[in-house]
Amino acid sequence: MNQIAEKEHRIRIGITHGDINGIGYEIIIKTLQDQRLLETSTVIVYGSSKVASYHRKTLNINEFNFNLIKKADLAHPRRPNIINIHEEEVRIDLGTSTAIAGEQAYLSLEMAMDDLLKHNIDVLVTAPINKKNIQSPDFHFPGHTEYLAMKTNTDDYLMLMVNQTIRIGVITGHIPLNKVSENITEDLIIRKVKILNHSLMRDFGVLKPKIAILSLNPHASDDGLIGNEEAMVIQPAIEKAFNQNILVFGPYPADGFFGSSSFNQFDGILAMYHDQGMIPFKVLSFDDGVNYTAGLPIIRTSPAHGTAYDIVGKNEANPESFRNAVNMACDIFNRSEEHTSEL
């Protein structure tokens, strides 16, 4: 097979470098050292060859180099490629949050998204950002998820945390805890249930998904003794979704649901708010979990952890979560291609 034909049959993976003072480059490099990935995919990192070299030398990783390219269509199919998002020197302060790091994280994300929307790459995998230092007039979002929704003009989306055994989405995302109750409506719950149900079938190949809904209040309100959201909002939403042929059940008290391992009986779970879903997920899967944004017209994954400033440069970062994010993006892309060919 010639190189042109080979490129046409390979998944083009775009990777953003995230916060340059975090563990982004360490987990990227460690993932790309596995040649098996490069046998089936073309990888393009949107970052800085000089910053990558700095991290590589700090970590004492000698047998690895990026292929520097100007644009995505010049990528070498069997080497890790990098596009310089910025030609000038940038200051690196390992383990420290800086304005420069935020600017570089945003530039990487913008360039990668531009290529993704132009179909120059097929999937996007984002390394961790610092959600505070990336803030600017151009980026004023709580995180990647809301930014990606804006860039793709998507109103209905779902932050979904995934590992080998569990998939947890959240009804309300990055909002203050004291705003959760007023934001939970029948319509919102039903919309999130539909996104999750569709994603489980299309993206994860589950034929008849079984979905669990968690309660908002302790003990699912104990028949109204501790709040009334279950009876007034959550239960009616579950019944309406079930009547639309979606296998959705609950609401289940979160403590007993996870404590008794009931989560193993479901293909997907919807938590009412961020920490209700994220805490049990990260306890169960901190080192290998993946963040997937369901409901978007593009495929984006990321590791389930953050910048990990405390271990930067110590060669202690575990690349498993990032590696799983790359593999999951490819798996979802392949399923989408199969689905399109069947239509």
Side-chain angles (χ1 to χ4, degrees):
M1 181 183 292
N2 62 40
Q3 191 177 81
I4 294 176
E6 185 180 9
K7 284 183 179 181
E8 293 174 349
H9 289 81
R10 299 167 66 86
I11 300 175
R12 299 164 298 176
I13 304 169
I15 295 175
T16 60
H17 68 178
D19 190 301
I20 60 174
N21 295 323
I23 61 170
Y25 273 102
E26 180 174 347
I27 58 177
I28 290 170
I29 292 171
K30 286 180 176 178
T31 296
L32 298 183
Q33 283 181 301
D34 188 342
Q35 290 297 312
R36 291 174 296 180
L37 175 64
L38 301 176
E39 290 174 2
T40 58
S41 308
T42 299
V43 177
I44 303 157
V45 175
Y46 294 80
S48 164
S49 57
K50 292 181 180 179
V51 174
S53 180
Y54 182 94
H55 279 271
R56 182 177 58 79
K57 292 176 181 177
T58 299
L59 298 166
N60 198 27
I61 298 175
N62 298 315
E63 297 181 1
F64 180 90
N65 285 290
F66 279 107
N67 178 49
L68 181 60
I69 58 175
K70 292 289 187 180
K71 53 184 182 176
D73 61 4
L74 298 176
H76 192 289
R78 292 185 177 275
R79 292 182 61 190
N81 301 277
I82 192 166
I83 295 175
N84 280 334
I85 60 170
H86 188 71
E87 294 299 334
E88 298 178 13
E89 294 277 352
V90 295
R91 181 180 174 86
I92 302 170
D93 293 293
L94 296 184
T96 305
S97 173
T98 65
I100 293 173
E103 293 168 3
Q104 293 296 304
Y106 172 71
L107 286 175
S108 173
L109 190 56
E110 272 286 284
M111 185 176 289
M113 272 302 296
D114 185 55
D115 269 356
L116 185 63
L117 295 174
K118 291 178 180 177
H119 304 290
N120 293 327
I121 54 177
D122 298 312
V123 301
L124 177 64
V125 183
T126 56
I129 60 172
N130 180 307
K131 295 175 182 178
K132 185 174 182 180
N133 69 28
I134 197 175
Q135 297 298 318
S136 72
D138 296 316
F139 189 101
H140 43 83
F141 305 94
H144 278 113
T145 302
E146 295 80 6
Y147 165 85
L148 295 167
M150 181 277 295
K151 292 292 286 188
T152 57
N153 297 311
T154 304
D155 294 324
D156 287 335
Y157 55 90
L158 178 67
M159 183 174 69
L160 193 60
M161 307 301 288
V162 182
N163 68 10
Q164 294 295 322
T165 59
I166 191 170
R167 306 177 187 95
I168 303 180
V170 290
I171 300 291
T172 58
H174 295 117
I175 65 172
L177 189 59
N178 64 3
K179 301 292 183 182
V180 170
S181 180
E182 66 188 65
N183 277 275
I184 293 175
T185 64
E186 282 188 35
D187 177 66
L188 179 62
I189 294 171
I190 292 170
R191 281 160 45 203
K192 298 295 185 181
V193 166
K194 288 181 176 179
I195 296 169
L196 178 56
N197 188 63
H198 181 68
S199 179
L200 289 170
M201 292 189 291
R202 183 194 65 184
D203 301 328
F204 298 96
V206 182
L207 294 180
K208 292 183 179 180
K210 187 179 178 184
I211 297 171
I213 302 286
L214 301 182
S215 64
L216 173 65
N217 296 300
H219 310 297
S221 84
D222 268 342
D223 292 325
L225 291 175
I226 314 172
N228 63 4
E229 288 88 351
E230 283 72 22
M232 301 299 294
V233 180
I234 302 172
Q235 187 64 50
I238 291 172
E239 292 173 1
K240 288 181 180 179
F242 192 88
N243 290 335
Q244 295 178 41
N245 297 317
I246 300 175
L247 298 179
V248 56
F249 305 91
Y252 298 102
D255 55 349
F257 183 81
F258 290 107
S260 65
S261 298
S262 295
F263 61 88
N264 289 318
Q265 302 171 22
F266 295 90
D267 301 299
I269 303 159
L270 283 175
M272 285 295 122
Y273 54 93
H274 183 278
D275 283 11
Q276 186 186 52
M278 295 305 103
I279 291 174
F281 179 82
K282 291 190 177 184
V283 168
L284 293 167
S285 190
F286 188 79
D287 288 331
D288 63 356
V290 177
N291 181 339
Y292 172 57
T293 312
L296 300 180
I298 53 100
I299 296 170
R300 174 264 177 170
T301 62
S302 73
H305 56 72
T307 56
Y309 286 146
D310 57 320
I311 60 170
V312 177
K314 299 179 182 179
N315 204 9
E316 296 177 1
N318 187 339
E320 191 65 20
S321 182
F322 190 83
R323 183 181 296 117
N324 288 344
V326 172
N327 291 333
M328 183 179 295
C330 294
D331 289 343
I332 293 173
F333 178 79
N334 285 329
R335 288 193 188 97
S336 69
E337 291 290 285
E338 292 171 4
H339 179 74
T340 302
S341 65
E342 292 171 357
L343 297 179

